[in-house]
Amino acid sequence: MANETDEVDRIVGAWRAQRADLDFSPMEVLSRVDRLSRHLDRARRDAFRRSDLEPWEWDVLSALRRAGEPFQLSPKQLLQQTLVSSGTMTNRIDRLVGRRLVRREADPADGRSVLVTLTEEGRIRVDAAITRLIDSEAELLGRLPRGDRDRLASLLRKLSLGFDA
């Protein structure tokens, strides 16, 4: 495998021939991340489509599912987890209520507040989607032994910590 080349090797090689004065090591890493991201995006969209979900629906439903029993969060908590505006979240909740994937319930701790609760149908869809997603992602990483996956995850975590702060 050490002698194998990919499209990024060809692109970087062409650039080096034209601009030997530049260090192309960032491009060697991030162009591959970008290309892999496109493959991952396609795999995710397919996993969600097969569960009859849009990516934005997955974001909301998966946040509720990860919350654990009784699978409910306030709209504010959903905003924090999905990083969208308040108006966008209201629209998304409305659409998910219309599809019967979530329901709004009065917050027993504060009658003026609302909780968004995952319905049984929503739970079934999100559970099917996560199973399909994990299968797709495992397939994408299939060429890497477990130790390489762990090292790659660690390196990517190290890199992402600077952005997530």
Side-chain angles (χ1 to χ4, degrees):
M1 283 217 299
N3 294 333
E4 290 183 273
T5 60
D6 64 4
E7 185 62 19
V8 173
D9 290 321
R10 289 184 276 282
I11 291 168
V12 168
W15 272 117
R16 280 192 177 122
Q18 299 301 313
R19 293 293 310 269
D21 58 311
L22 295 176
D23 173 12
F24 287 95
S25 61
M27 182 180 277
E28 288 180 291
V29 173
L30 297 176
S31 289
R32 286 184 175 96
V33 169
D34 180 56
R35 287 170 178 268
L36 291 169
S37 174
R38 292 182 215 173
H39 289 289
L40 176 59
D41 186 54
R42 278 196 292 272
R44 286 184 168 191
R45 288 182 182 278
D46 183 57
F48 303 150
R49 180 189 51 74
R50 290 173 46 214
S51 297
D52 193 25
L53 295 174
E54 294 294 327
W56 66 265
E57 292 173 316
W58 161 258
D59 287 343
V60 176
L61 298 177
S62 67
L64 292 166
R65 181 65 170 99
R66 290 189 314 266
E69 289 279 358
F71 309 120
Q72 60 186 196
L73 295 169
S74 70
K76 182 177 180 179
Q77 290 169 312
L78 284 169
L79 282 172
Q80 292 167 341
Q81 290 197 31
T82 60
L83 304 175
V84 298
S85 71
S86 177
T88 297
M89 181 54 66
T90 299
N91 180 273
R92 288 180 175 185
I93 293 168
D94 288 345
R95 291 172 67 186
L96 289 167
V97 167
R99 291 195 61 199
R100 297 187 176 158
L101 301 177
V102 303
R103 65 180 174 272
R104 287 185 175 93
E105 298 178 356
D107 184 344
D110 178 1
R112 298 169 297 165
S113 297
V114 169
L115 293 172
V116 179
T117 304
L118 189 63
T119 64
E120 181 64 16
E121 177 64 20
R123 190 192 59 74
I124 289 168
R125 296 258 183 106
V126 78
D127 282 355
I130 190 63
T131 300
R132 288 179 174 120
L133 178 60
I134 293 301
D135 289 347
S136 293
E137 290 183 355
E139 188 176 321
L140 288 173
L141 292 172
R143 294 184 69 179
L144 294 179
R146 183 60 187 230
D148 286 351
R149 287 184 197 190
D150 292 344
R151 280 189 293 286
L152 181 57
S154 179
L155 290 169
L156 291 171
R157 180 183 307 108
K158 187 183 233 181
L159 182 61
S160 73
L161 285 171
F163 297 100
D164 292 343

